[in-house]
Amino acid sequence: MKKTFNIDKDWQFRISKNDSKEQLIPNMKLDEWIQAVVPGTVHTDLLTAGLIDEPFKDDNELSLDWIAKSDWIYKTTFDYPDDFSTESPVNLVFDGLDTKATIWLNDKEVGTTENMFLQYKFDVTEKMQHKNNELKILFESPINYAKNIEAKYGKLPSSINTERVYIRKAQYSFGWDWGPTFPTMGVWRPAYLLQEDQASLRSVKFDTLQIEDNVAKVAVRLLFQLQADQHFKADVVLSNSNQKFTYELMVSDNKEYELEFSIKNPKLWQPNGIGAQNLYNLEITLLNDKNNTVDSVNKKVGIRTIELELEKNGEPDFQIVVNKNPLFIKGVNWIPADMFLPRVSPDKYKMLLQMVKDVNINLVRIWGGGIYEDDFFYELCDELGLLVWQDFMFACGAYPEHDDFISNVKEELIWNIERLQAHPSLAIWCGNNENEWIWFNEQTTPFQEMSGYNIYHQVIPDILKELDPRRPYWQTTPFGFNDDPNSQQSGNTHQWDIWSKWIDYTDVNKDASLFVAEFGFQSPANIDTLEKFISPEHRHIESHIFEFHNKQVEGMIRLLHFLMAHLPVVKEWRDFIYLTQLNQSLALKTCIEHWRVNDNTNGSIIWQFNDVWSGSSWSLVDAESKPKMTYYFVKNIFKHQIISIRKSDSSLETTVLNCSQNNFSGSLKINFYETSTGELFNKKEQTIKIDSDTGKFLSKISLESIYGVSKKWIAIATLYDESEQIINRDYFTEDRWNLIKLPVPKIEIKTIKENGSYYLSLSTNKPAFFIDLYYPNFNFSDRGFILLPGEDKKLMITNGKVDPPKLEDIIIFSLNNFLQNDAIRETIKTKIIK
């Protein structure tokens, strides 16, 4: 049986002696060894040792660039493991080294690495000693290393730092338009000794071949490596709580074996919102001729089919189909969950991905400028029903094609495809992020002549044809079959005219995309997160530090530009955060609503779900894992049942969409309020029934009947289920919000206790728009909601706080507060009853 020994203790590090920068850190000598943590990075080790300040604080980033320009050495010692045999080979394994490294064991060179996305395994049998084995790793500066290769082969067109394309390292670490520049180094994934038996199982692949007449045919592919000229037996068991299937396989060669099972009445794996995430246990046990176990693997697999349909009724289409069920993709783009990757714990993965599921998402796109995530990430996606769109790690640039680079990339592809292939959540592979589109926009030659084109259109497809032929592959995103890779007439698009090209989000009604894989709108992080990393003297919107924490060129100007287009512009720090978060929320709600209702678009993937540091970005959740207001807007607009109110020439039209697997019965209530007084002057109510699976209900109200009573009004449409619970709510106003005057609401807030937990209950005497509560270090179960007279809104405290907040210290924001003249505005807060 194989044995492992973790090398995760007694690590030390120092700056390399061949680096001349002795005075970069006061009192730090080149020969001084400092305690280190493995897995870890140089930056986090320096931070833990108190040798650098918090990298995310203010503009500390600017004073820390020397770290990535230096070489660093790590070392540790260990004894020969007691349970290892002295008769069998010993391998030194690194699941991840970042990035260009040279390894020595007992002063003998073991090997070198140049790809952080690849596992490295070295035979160190002849280099091991019984006691005090010294392991050293020299990490070269990723910047200097990449620049040296760039100098050899020539600069390639790419965004951000051009040298990054020459190193197989997470591209975002060189800086992006949402994050700082911290090219890291270190042992970023586990390091260990591995001693294998006479044979081992190299890879396990699982495919659903077909599902017909309630019978599933599945295939298991097993690749073995035999170290001895013997015959082995593999016992293969596929089971769940009700079924068990077995297969006995005789193994005598280093080759891939394929076997099939036919399963009657299979329990299918379904995406979030469609059905249960049924998983089967796949267990493979490899035995020698004495019936002793020499290796074993246990995986969770799922039975499901996935297709990408590119044509419908003779017209271009882009539709992801799971188990023959066409899906509207409710997606988010995922970036790495920290600038310093070893800090991403299993608990953080659990929390963030549960938040993804809770916001009614069914697909996560892993963006090509980050990393192939940890195995645990995909296991969680399997359990939560989150489909994964997996980019290969190429983004926003032309990439080299010289032989060494291609050989390196091929190893990376094979390792990660084989590692991830069996996950039922894995829905689609994608060659890169935006490379062809950027070339099309910025160069004069066809993108087919782009350096790197061969990787996505030949190298990757060839490898997938062998390793994972049944899963959809898309060469790049955006992409289609027109000259412009971002054409709305075929394939998928990235909608960046809105925001990045200064187009307002209300113009989304002109978008006819078949599938939108990126779109977004910025806002600052939450108050607590910003104030943790921005010093008090910089907490104002004219601060260069606040602007520094927005990495997009002219990002701060865009925040103000689009805020001015829709909402009041207020300079006060916390008011500004509230209003810009509200504007982001309105933007995403407007865009998603359009794509869900228009009958042409098959999915929208929001840029971006998470964040890496405290600043302004497109994220739904900030770097401290706190949901922004827009998180709750997205949760509502991605529900199974949604409402959309629009104005036609003569009527106000309310569409109710039901995308659940069940029919819907309930009621639709539309209230009309005079804007300046908040008085209800008209209401419509009707019982509705809607068929399952994209059924629609349309209600029309004559505009003449409304204008006959009031010229300035707001319509609030609310969908209730049969038990009178609010399912969804929408609003309509003819004017921009910043042109409307709203009455002052008297909001009453009280604490209630149920089943040992505290809740807040809110009520109002006037319609109160987009209410948000702030209390330091508290998260509440909803933000940015509309509250009507006669309603009680109950809010849970969602971040584990035991004691309730002090009501007198809660800050209550609502848009009503800002749609008054200055003289009135000061009185609003005093009229809030607590």
Side-chain angles (χ1 to χ4, degrees):
M1 195 67 176
K2 66 182 178 185
K3 300 171 184 176
T4 59
F5 176 82
N6 290 328
I7 308 175
D8 56 1
K9 295 179 175 62
D10 302 322
W11 282 90
Q12 296 176 300
F13 79 113
R14 62 169 173 78
I15 202 165
S16 171
K17 284 186 177 180
N18 64 18
D19 194 296
S20 61
K21 303 178 181 64
E22 293 195 40
Q23 302 305 316
L24 288 172
I25 305 178
N27 303 318
M28 179 181 176
K29 304 298 183 182
L30 292 184
D31 58 355
E32 178 182 8
W33 289 97
I34 306 160
Q35 185 176 354
V37 175
V38 167
T41 70
V42 171
H43 291 79
T44 49
D45 285 334
L46 289 169
L47 181 62
T48 300
L51 295 171
I52 61 172
D53 293 329
E54 166 56 55
F56 298 163
K57 185 79 171 183
D58 294 336
D59 59 357
N60 288 349
E61 172 194 352
L62 300 177
S63 64
L64 300 177
D65 61 342
W66 61 271
I67 298 173
K69 295 177 181 177
S70 303
D71 297 346
W72 298 84
I73 294 179
Y74 277 69
K75 75 171 184 177
T76 188
T77 58
F78 57 90
D79 295 337
Y80 197 95
D82 292 338
D83 62 340
F84 273 37
S85 168
T86 57
E87 306 298 323
S88 299
V90 178
N91 288 306
L92 176 61
V93 183
F94 298 98
D95 283 346
L97 290 177
D98 182 13
T99 292
K100 177 58 179 174
T102 304
I103 303 120
W104 293 272
L105 183 62
N106 298 321
D107 295 324
K108 299 175 183 177
E109 184 172 327
V110 171
T112 61
T113 71
E114 53 186 7
N115 192 324
M116 75 175 289
F117 307 127
L118 185 59
Q119 183 196 72
Y120 286 90
K121 184 189 296 185
F122 303 101
D123 187 340
V124 292
T125 308
E126 300 302 320
K127 299 178 178 65
M128 291 283 290
Q129 56 194 34
H130 189 64
K131 291 286 187 181
N132 297 320
N133 292 280
E134 184 178 62
L135 175 62
K136 284 187 178 180
I137 308 173
L138 171 66
F139 291 98
E140 295 183 35
S141 158
I143 294 175
N144 297 340
Y145 171 76
K147 283 185 174 180
N148 288 338
I149 302 178
E150 182 182 53
K152 178 179 179 180
Y153 289 100
K155 185 172 292 188
L156 293 169
S158 62
S159 304
I160 320 294
N161 296 306
T162 58
E163 72 273 7
R164 66 177 173 82
V165 300
Y166 279 98
I167 184 170
R168 295 311 295 148
K169 172 177 174 59
Q171 302 286 269
Y172 83 105
S173 67
F174 290 87
W176 222 263
D177 56 6
W178 39 259
T181 301
F182 289 116
T184 50
M185 290 164 281
V187 185
W188 77 285
R189 279 179 170 163
Y192 51 95
L193 297 177
L194 171 66
Q195 189 170 70
E196 296 175 309
D197 214 317
Q198 306 147 316
S200 60
L201 186 53
R202 277 290 172 260
S203 72
V204 178
K205 303 183 185 72
F206 184 87
D207 291 290
T208 303
L209 305 180
Q210 68 176 42
I211 304 172
E212 296 287 348
D213 300 324
N214 215 24
V215 176
K217 289 186 178 180
V218 302
V220 179
R221 287 181 287 155
L222 306 173
L223 178 62
F224 298 93
Q225 181 172 326
L226 312 183
Q227 298 178 8
D229 186 16
Q230 298 180 26
H231 292 279
F232 297 86
K233 181 180 71 171
D235 288 338
V236 183
V237 180
L238 181 66
S239 63
N240 63 10
S241 58
N242 299 317
Q243 297 173 303
K244 183 176 182 179
F245 305 88
T246 62
Y247 196 103
E248 187 177 287
L249 178 70
M250 303 310 298
V251 179
S252 57
D253 296 302
N254 292 323
K255 68 176 186 179
E256 187 172 75
Y257 294 79
E258 181 169 342
L259 52 107
E260 294 184 7
F261 295 102
S262 290
I263 302 173
K264 294 182 179 180
N265 303 313
K267 298 292 186 181
L268 301 185
W269 184 93
Q270 298 283 11
N272 181 33
I274 300 299
Q277 289 74 57
N278 295 299
L279 295 171
Y280 285 72
N281 189 58
L282 177 62
E283 185 176 5
I284 302 100
T285 305
L286 187 62
L287 303 109
N288 61 18
D289 53 4
K290 297 180 180 178
N291 215 37
N292 294 323
T293 299
V294 296
D295 199 2
S296 65
V297 172
N298 197 308
K299 285 182 176 288
K300 296 292 186 181
V301 296
I303 299 174
R304 54 93 188 101
T305 59
I306 293 183
E307 302 164 272
L308 176 60
E309 293 187 351
L310 300 176
E311 183 180 294
K312 184 177 181 180
N313 299 325
E315 297 292 332
D317 200 17
F318 194 99
Q319 179 103 60
I320 293 176
V321 179
V322 179
N323 299 326
K324 300 183 180 179
N325 180 30
L327 297 182
F328 182 92
I329 292 300
K330 308 170 187 178
V332 287
N333 282 275
W334 175 278
I335 63 173
D338 202 306
M339 282 304 303
F340 307 117
L341 291 165
R343 298 200 302 199
V344 185
S345 66
D347 285 343
K348 186 169 186 177
Y349 273 134
K350 284 182 181 179
M351 176 176 60
L352 287 174
L353 287 174
Q354 185 63 52
M355 291 172 71
V356 171
K357 178 184 175 73
D358 291 345
V359 80
N360 300 312
I361 296 300
N362 58 20
L363 182 143
V364 177
R365 174 184 170 228
I366 299 179
W367 168 73
I371 61 170
Y372 307 94
E373 292 288 347
D374 186 83
D375 291 343
F376 187 60
F377 177 98
Y378 302 92
E379 291 168 7
L380 288 172
C381 289
D382 294 341
E383 295 172 6
L384 297 171
L386 300 173
L387 295 165
V388 175
W389 170 312
Q390 177 69 60
D391 281 6
F392 291 103
M393 293 300 118
F394 307 91
C396 299
Y399 280 78
E401 291 185 339
H402 57 271
D403 289 346
D404 287 346
F405 187 85
I406 295 298
S407 177
N408 189 6
V409 164
K410 285 181 176 179
E411 289 187 66
E412 167 193 324
L413 297 173
I414 292 169
W415 165 250
N416 285 288
I417 292 169
E418 290 193 329
R419 178 171 71 93
L420 304 178
Q421 188 276 343
H423 288 283
S425 57
L426 186 60
I428 183 172
W429 299 103
C430 182
N432 70 72
N433 175 77
E434 296 186 348
N435 295 0
E436 281 85 339
W437 182 38
I438 292 174
W439 185 278
F440 174 83
N441 286 329
E442 298 180 357
Q443 307 300 319
T444 58
T445 58
F447 63 75
Q448 289 83 355
E449 298 179 18
M450 172 187 69
S451 182
Y453 179 86
N454 179 60
I455 296 173
Y456 327 118
H457 297 264
Q458 182 174 337
V459 174
I460 295 175
D462 286 351
I463 292 175
L464 285 173
K465 186 177 180 180
E466 178 182 351
L467 299 181
D468 196 18
R470 296 181 178 89
R471 203 179 316 267
Y473 172 67
W474 195 237
Q475 293 89 335
T476 178
T477 180
F479 196 59
F481 306 109
N482 298 78
D483 292 338
D484 181 356
N486 201 33
S487 170
Q488 296 180 13
Q489 297 176 18
S490 65
N492 73 314
T493 63
H494 288 191
Q495 174 48 276
W496 286 117
D497 289 346
I498 295 170
W499 178 267
S500 287
K501 293 188 177 180
W502 300 94
I503 301 299
D504 192 74
Y505 60 78
T506 55
D507 280 1
V508 72
N509 57 11
K510 300 173 185 176
D511 184 278
S513 298
L514 301 174
F515 189 102
V516 183
E518 281 190 19
F519 74 99
F521 205 88
Q522 277 197 4
S523 76
N526 290 300
I527 293 171
D528 290 339
T529 299
L530 287 173
E531 294 183 354
K532 180 177 179 180
F533 296 100
I534 294 179
S535 298
E537 64 270 25
H538 297 300
R539 294 172 190 168
H540 58 90
I541 69 170
E542 295 172 341
S543 164
H544 71 283
I545 294 297
F546 183 50
E547 185 170 2
F548 182 77
H549 280 244
N550 187 329
K551 290 300 185 178
Q552 186 185 26
V553 175
E554 298 181 330
M556 185 65 188
I557 298 174
R558 282 180 173 83
L559 281 174
L560 290 165
H561 170 83
F562 288 112
L563 183 62
M564 187 178 298
H566 294 278
L567 298 170
V569 177
V570 179
K571 293 175 64 175
E572 199 278 328
W573 172 251
R574 292 180 177 180
D575 289 348
F576 181 81
I577 294 170
Y578 164 78
L579 289 167
T580 47
Q581 284 204 8
L582 175 58
N583 206 31
Q584 180 193 29
S585 304
L586 298 175
L588 295 193
K589 179 258 185 193
T590 301
C591 291
I592 295 170
E593 181 179 309
H594 166 71
W595 289 317
R596 286 202 66 185
V597 174
N598 69 17
D599 292 328
N600 184 68
T601 307
N602 296 317
S604 56
I605 308 179
I606 300 166
W607 185 270
Q608 64 208 63
F609 182 74
N610 53 325
D611 226 331
V612 295
W613 83 321
S614 60
S616 296
S617 80
W618 297 268
S619 70
L620 307 186
V621 174
D622 70 25
E624 295 291 294
S625 303
K626 296 177 180 292
K628 296 183 186 178
M629 187 191 300
T630 191
Y631 176 91
Y632 301 94
F633 274 64
V634 169
K635 183 176 183 178
N636 285 325
I637 200 61
F638 272 158
K639 284 182 176 179
H640 283 317
Q641 293 87 22
I642 64 167
I643 308 174
S644 174
I645 311 179
R646 301 182 183 187
K647 180 184 172 184
S648 67
D649 292 338
S650 61
S651 64
L652 193 67
E653 299 181 352
T654 303
T655 301
V656 183
L657 179 68
N658 177 30
C659 291
S660 77
Q661 302 297 295
N662 302 309
N663 296 337
F664 178 82
S665 296
S667 61
L668 175 65
K669 299 179 183 180
I670 306 176
N671 291 352
F672 294 86
Y673 295 93
E674 205 282 328
T675 56
S676 62
T677 66
E679 295 300 320
L680 176 68
F681 69 85
N682 198 351
K683 60 181 179 180
K684 304 288 184 181
E685 180 177 351
Q686 56 193 131
T687 300
I688 62 174
K689 293 184 178 181
I690 316 175
D691 291 339
S692 62
D693 195 17
T694 67
K696 286 185 179 180
F697 176 87
L698 181 63
S699 171
K700 292 185 179 183
I701 299 175
S702 167
L703 289 174
E704 184 178 352
S705 67
I706 304 171
Y707 289 132
V709 180
S710 176
K711 302 299 182 184
K712 297 289 184 178
W713 50 270
I714 297 175
I716 306 294
T718 308
L719 181 66
Y720 298 85
D721 63 16
E722 291 182 308
S723 63
E724 285 296 303
Q725 296 298 309
I726 295 177
I727 300 300
N728 212 286
R729 174 167 279 169
D730 197 15
Y731 59 87
F732 177 84
T733 173
E734 291 189 287
D735 293 326
R736 302 197 309 265
W737 285 107
N738 55 4
L739 300 179
I740 296 172
K741 299 298 181 183
L742 293 176
V744 179
K746 294 180 180 179
I747 299 175
E748 183 175 352
I749 181 170
K750 59 185 178 181
T751 303
I752 57 177
K753 188 175 183 180
E754 294 180 2
N755 300 320
S757 298
Y758 287 98
Y759 300 83
L760 299 181
S761 177
L762 285 78
S763 60
T764 181
N765 68 328
K766 299 284 186 181
F769 292 92
F770 312 122
I771 294 175
D772 193 24
L773 304 188
Y774 173 70
Y775 190 87
N777 301 311
F778 271 65
N779 295 342
F780 301 103
S781 58
D782 202 359
R783 298 180 63 187
F785 53 89
I786 296 173
L787 186 63
L788 300 181
E791 295 179 341
D792 286 312
K793 176 73 174 182
K794 188 167 74 171
L795 295 178
M796 294 184 292
I797 299 166
T798 59
N799 59 334
K801 299 294 184 180
V802 177
D803 296 323
K806 296 179 180 179
L807 297 184
E808 63 272 16
D809 293 334
I810 295 176
I811 298 175
I812 303 178
F813 296 94
S814 78
L815 187 56
N816 302 59
N817 296 31
F818 301 92
L819 298 183
Q820 302 292 320
N821 61 50
D822 291 339
I824 296 176
R825 187 163 178 268
E826 286 303 313
T827 69
I828 292 174
K829 293 179 182 178
T830 64
K831 290 185 178 181
I832 295 173
I833 302 171
K834 296 183 178 178

